[in-house]
Amino acid sequence: MRSWIIALSALGLAACGSDPAPTPDGPDTAAEAEVDASLVTLKGDGLSAGAEAFYFAAGKAEVTTALTRVLGEPQEVMDMSECGAGPMQSASFADGLVVNFQDEKLVGWFLRSADEQIVFTESLGIGLPRAELEALGGYALDPESTLGEEFYNESAGIGGFIGEDGKVSELYAGTQCFFR
């Protein structure tokens, strides 16, 4: 009986080939993993600074350190004690990016100007014409906004404002300290 067990075990090991695991079709995955360390990527659920990605709820120190490596020191750090969502802090960077924190956690971002160092995972961006925004799908105006022509793109998880020129003037995601 013992010889049968040994024989079956040997047969089982022999059946395990030593061929390498199949690789995905397309470009080399190592090349795909390369990230431009000089870019900040804004997303509906967080952001990336170089190769470091942060979802909302990431730690304030880690997010600020990563953004500082890419964009430089914040120009202004501010306490906002009277926000509707509760007390928040923000860090404003030279490139028009403001990141919001609550209880030492990343809760939102706001972009007020276009910059080559700041990109999006979606086809959104500052200066995008209204017609292109509407063509993205998931777009809806907020008819009750008291802040101007405000929209939200459901598929991207990103909201923003359309300026008087008919183009996207500001974008945001997550928790904001807007007074409506």
Side-chain angles (χ1 to χ4, degrees):
M1 181 66 137
R2 189 180 296 200
S3 59
W4 276 100
I5 293 174
I6 292 172
L8 286 174
S9 296
L11 183 60
L13 285 174
C16 294
S18 61
D19 293 339
T23 58
D25 293 335
D28 181 357
T29 53
E32 287 179 342
E34 290 181 30
V35 174
D36 189 335
S38 68
L39 294 180
V40 171
T41 304
L42 300 177
K43 304 177 272 191
D45 59 359
L47 57 85
S48 296
E52 297 182 73
F54 303 97
Y55 287 106
F56 292 139
K60 178 182 177 181
E62 293 84 3
V63 172
T64 304
T65 298
L67 286 171
T68 298
R69 265 191 235 116
V70 176
L71 302 175
E73 291 288 330
Q75 289 187 320
E76 181 179 21
V77 176
M78 190 162 120
D79 284 321
M80 301 178 293
S81 60
E82 296 185 21
C83 292
M88 293 174 39
Q89 304 81 40
S90 69
S92 300
F93 292 86
D95 298 21
L97 176 65
V98 178
V99 288
N100 297 324
F101 301 98
Q102 196 168 41
D103 299 323
E104 300 295 310
K105 304 263 189 262
L106 176 67
V107 295
W109 57 259
F110 181 87
L111 183 65
R112 63 178 51 139
S113 61
D115 188 278
E116 291 179 0
Q117 276 190 282
I118 300 176
V119 297
F120 293 86
T121 55
E122 303 295 326
S123 299
L124 292 170
I126 303 291
L128 184 71
R130 176 197 313 272
E132 291 180 36
L133 175 67
E134 291 172 351
L136 292 176
Y139 162 86
L141 276 176
D142 180 355
E144 297 180 19
S145 177
T146 60
L147 302 174
E149 195 168 356
E150 186 174 357
F151 68 88
Y152 189 74
N153 186 287
E154 185 72 37
S155 59
I158 296 174
F161 299 93
I162 298 172
E164 291 180 12
D165 61 357
K167 296 179 180 178
V168 173
S169 59
E170 299 160 319
L171 291 165
Y172 65 85
T175 305
Q176 304 298 314
C177 191
F178 294 153
F179 289 93
R180 299 183 181 272

